[in-house]
Amino acid sequence: MNKIDIYDTTLRDGSQREGVSLSVADKLKIVGKLDEFGISCIEGGWPGSNPKDIEFFRRASKVKLKNARLCAFSSTRRPGIAVTEDKNIRALVEAGTKTVTLFGKSWDFHVHDALETTLAENLAMIKESIEYLKALGHEVFFDAEHYFDGYKANPDYALATIEAAAAGGADLIVLCDTNGGLMPWELIAILAVVKDRIKIPLGIHAHDDSGMATANSLLAVREGITQVQGTINGYGERCGNANLCTIIPNLQLKMGFPVVTPEQLRGLTKLSRFIAEQANIAPADHQPYVGFYSFAHKGGIHVDAVSKKPATYEHAEPEQIGNQRRILVSELAGRSNIILKTNHNNFKLDKGRTETAAVLQRIKELEHYGYQFEGAEGSFELLVLKMMKVLPASL
Ligand SMILES: [Zn+2]
């Protein structure tokens, strides 16, 4: 099984999500947590685009990482100038990371209308920029921006851009679905052609505008790519990037790729919530694997089955990703909800005891009057203590 590199771009692409602004100190803390978790490559930012990222790389160079390598991001040189004259590339080199990621255009539409240069000049920009960085001893990843849209519009030119990157000496070519509109079957067809032509390792960078970023990333791995790019919690511009909190457990638990150690995987839920806190975003409670509700059981029939065999209503064990099973109490509950919810109290409630049915009956009556116990664990506890006569009913 090929080794899959996880490339995290939370600090660059992720911070392009509306409302997110990370300070240098936030970014450094996040680097520490991503490294501890076992991410193999952390994209720290784009030093050519703002002074904050320049300062970040200056301070990050002093941080010792255990698992990850830090990586700086930039564009290929601008049209019509020598690589040595390009300010972005100079800032990229000054960032001082051994690994650099360079993005360039693969879609002829962007070359004409965004870069406003010729197709031939864009190929030269890609090849010369990579050659320059390789000569300085860098490991160079080439992000082929809009690769799939570019391929659909002009396959020969899209292929020529990544051939230029390979000729320049790129260590890895990352195929980007920058607008996030790619369908999985299109990915398979395009990847088959690319694999035929390009013999260096490939990566995938998917956005989630059509809800396919996870599917496309996993399929790309099945098709042989070796690097998956994404962000923690799927943060990113518009609908977000490929969500590493979904992709990593799927790769490891469903597809058998040893991405991180089992112990590191148990840190995923904590990592997800830490990043949400740093980004000042309320955690997405319904998020697969790491959400607060991911393993919450409410219906009486479900809870009864889960209490016997958790796999009846769970696709994975919550402990594997450091999450927790939660049993909710409401009017939809059955006796199993009450038993599981009170077992820490030594009441030894079981299905045969009249108190179990009485507590359940009381919950249903109160919910009918408008009370809600699902988010009120303390009130539930008091109700049980009163019905078990540990507390006076008048309290
Ligand atoms: Zn992106």
Side-chain angles (χ1 to χ4, degrees), residues 251-326:
L251 285 173
Q252 188 133 337
L253 303 176
K254 304 295 169 82
M255 295 166 74
F257 289 97
V259 179
V260 290
T261 66
E263 198 192 329
Q264 286 169 327
L265 191 62
R266 284 195 283 278
L268 187 64
T269 301
K270 215 168 148 192
L271 176 68
S272 158
R273 291 177 192 170
F274 174 81
I275 303 288
E277 196 182 305
Q278 294 301 309
N280 262 326
I281 294 175
D285 289 331
H286 291 283
Q287 180 165 195
Y289 289 106
V290 295
F292 191 56
Y293 303 155
S294 305
F295 298 93
H297 303 282
K298 182 164 167 178
I301 293 171
H302 292 198
V303 172
D304 188 44
V306 163
S307 69
K308 293 170 189 152
K309 290 269 160 52
T312 48
Y313 286 95
E314 288 175 358
H315 74 112
E317 294 167 22
E319 299 79 16
Q320 290 176 303
I321 45 262
N323 207 342
Q324 281 182 336
R325 178 172 307 120
R326 294 173 53 248

Side-chain angles (χ1 to χ4, degrees), residues 101-380:
T101 299
L102 213 58
F103 82 93
K105 302 287 185 194
S106 284
W107 189 357
D108 56 359
F109 168 52
H110 266 263
V111 177
H112 293 307
D113 289 63
L115 278 181
E116 297 179 336
T117 189
T118 64
L119 297 182
E121 172 64 355
N122 181 50
L123 296 181
M125 286 155 59
I126 294 170
K127 183 165 176 281
E128 289 168 19
S129 303
I130 296 172
E131 271 171 352
Y132 175 75
L133 292 163
K134 284 303 295 176
L136 291 177
H138 290 282
E139 178 183 37
V140 182
F141 299 156
F142 178 66
D143 268 13
E145 199 193 21
H146 295 110
Y147 188 77
F148 297 94
D149 290 320
Y151 185 94
K152 286 191 249 177
N154 184 343
D156 289 340
Y157 187 70
L159 284 166
T161 61
I162 54 176
E163 280 173 341
D171 295 281
L172 173 109
I173 291 171
V174 184
L175 307 176
C176 302
D177 180 26
T178 312
N179 291 1
L182 183 70
M183 293 292 113
W185 49 92
E186 296 172 326
L187 172 121
I188 292 176
I190 295 171
L191 208 47
V193 181
V194 172
K195 280 192 300 186
D196 222 36
R197 293 275 282 269
I198 300 287
K199 297 302 172 197
I200 62 171
L202 297 170
I204 180 84
H205 175 111
H207 280 255
D208 206 28
D209 300 70
S210 49
M212 292 294 157
T214 298
N216 286 337
S217 303
L218 298 180
L219 264 180
V221 171
R222 273 174 70 97
E223 296 298 315
I225 68 99
T226 57
Q227 185 185 87
V228 178
Q229 299 197 348
T231 62
I232 300 298
N233 299 328
Y235 293 158
E237 210 162 37
R238 307 185 309 277
C239 310
N241 284 55
N243 186 351
L244 292 179
C245 292
T246 311
I247 289 171
I248 292 171
N250 279 332
L251 285 173
Q252 188 133 337
L253 303 176
K254 304 295 169 82
M255 295 166 74
F257 289 97
V259 179
V260 290
T261 66
E263 198 192 329
Q264 286 169 327
L265 191 62
R266 284 195 283 278
L268 187 64
T269 301
K270 215 168 148 192
L271 176 68
S272 158
R273 291 177 192 170
F274 174 81
I275 303 288
E277 196 182 305
Q278 294 301 309
N280 262 326
I281 294 175
D285 289 331
H286 291 283
Q287 180 165 195
Y289 289 106
V290 295
F292 191 56
Y293 303 155
S294 305
F295 298 93
H297 303 282
K298 182 164 167 178
I301 293 171
H302 292 198
V303 172
D304 188 44
V306 163
S307 69
K308 293 170 189 152
K309 290 269 160 52
T312 48
Y313 286 95
E314 288 175 358
H315 74 112
E317 294 167 22
E319 299 79 16
Q320 290 176 303
I321 45 262
N323 207 342
Q324 281 182 336
R325 178 172 307 120
R326 294 173 53 248
I327 304 298
L328 308 178
V329 167
S330 76
E331 63 205 337
L332 301 178
R335 280 174 294 179
S336 294
N337 301 55
I338 306 298
I339 293 165
L340 288 174
K341 216 54 194 167
T342 53
N343 61 9
H344 64 281
N345 272 332
N346 274 334
F347 291 141
K348 299 208 170 43
L349 287 180
D350 60 37
K351 285 190 180 173
R353 284 186 64 171
T354 48
E355 292 94 331
T356 312
V359 170
L360 185 61
Q361 186 56 31
R362 186 70 186 135
I363 296 280
K364 293 188 180 200
E365 279 166 15
L366 289 169
E367 290 235 340
H368 182 57
Y369 294 140
Y371 289 83
Q372 231 189 322
F373 286 89
E374 201 180 298
E377 311 233 326
S379 303
F380 171 73

Side-chain angles (χ1 to χ4, degrees), residues 45-50 53-54 73-74 87-89 91-92:
W46 183 352
S49 76
N50 63 73
D53 282 357
I54 293 175
F73 176 89
S74 192
K87 282 202 296 247
N88 276 337
I89 295 212
L92 179 71

